[in-house]
Amino acid sequence: MRAAAVRASARVVARADGRGGTALPVLDGEGPLALRRTRAGGGEARVMLVGAMSGPLGGDHFSLAARVEAGAGLHVGSAAATLALPGQSPDAARYDVRLDVAEGAELHWLPEQLISAQGSDLYVATRADLAPGARLVLREEQVLGRAGEEPGRLTSRLAVRVGGRTVLDQELACGPGAPGGWDGPAVLAGHRALGQLVVVRPEFAAHPVDARMLGEGAALMPLAGPAALVTAVAADALLLRRRLDEALALLDP
């Protein structure tokens, strides 16, 4: 086990290359946050986050930033799930994600799920700032505990702003020490996998989506701007992904 907390950061900048594609003038990562460029498709660049070591553990602080400049397209995924684990430090771990998307740019932020292992304590904060005319697909998935174990404590905050206006700012805390009711019928209702899908499209400003259920355990809501939110719960990660993929096919064909 590591003797000291880890501080690690990674940064990617995507820029239109003038030939219909996207260049990556900045692609830096350290410690557990290794970034790798993969084969691109269309005019977008593709980046994979590869975990180079376990974590985050108690007391660790990871930060990840992505900026997509005007006219560029970027798709970011991860090679495996992120596993929050207990560590020697009694302090909570922290994972900060900051996304900036310029006018006419597009970002697909589609990492694998975050698993909150028993005894862990993690605070995750994701903030996306978009210029008017920017496009975004952002997926978050959390799994509370590995197979057969209780979850750790997980607090997740997700904020999205378009043109300086907040369209979404929500926080959810689950697991031991979280405010009462998190596992009740009004929140998770006994489910152990939960996720959010945010889709920002300029056309949603004039033609917002209709609020409705998307089958069992998933709901679609228009946001106060050119954006839509899908919230889903499921018994496991596989079913959660299926529900979010179906919603994404509906919103971003």
Side-chain angles (χ1 to χ4, degrees), residues 149-171:
E149 75 171 8
E150 292 299 310
R153 178 169 181 172
L154 175 62
T155 304
S156 176
R157 182 174 182 180
L158 174 60
V160 180
R161 298 197 306 171
V162 180
R165 179 186 181 190
T166 298
V167 299
L168 177 67
D169 193 342
Q170 66 178 24
E171 183 172 290

Side-chain angles (χ1 to χ4, degrees), residues 54-57 80-85 113-117 120 122 145-146 149:
S54 61
L57 278 62
T82 297
L83 181 60
L85 294 165
Q113 66 264 26
L114 168 63
I115 302 172
S116 174
S120 64
L122 175 64
R146 293 169 291 190
E149 75 171 8

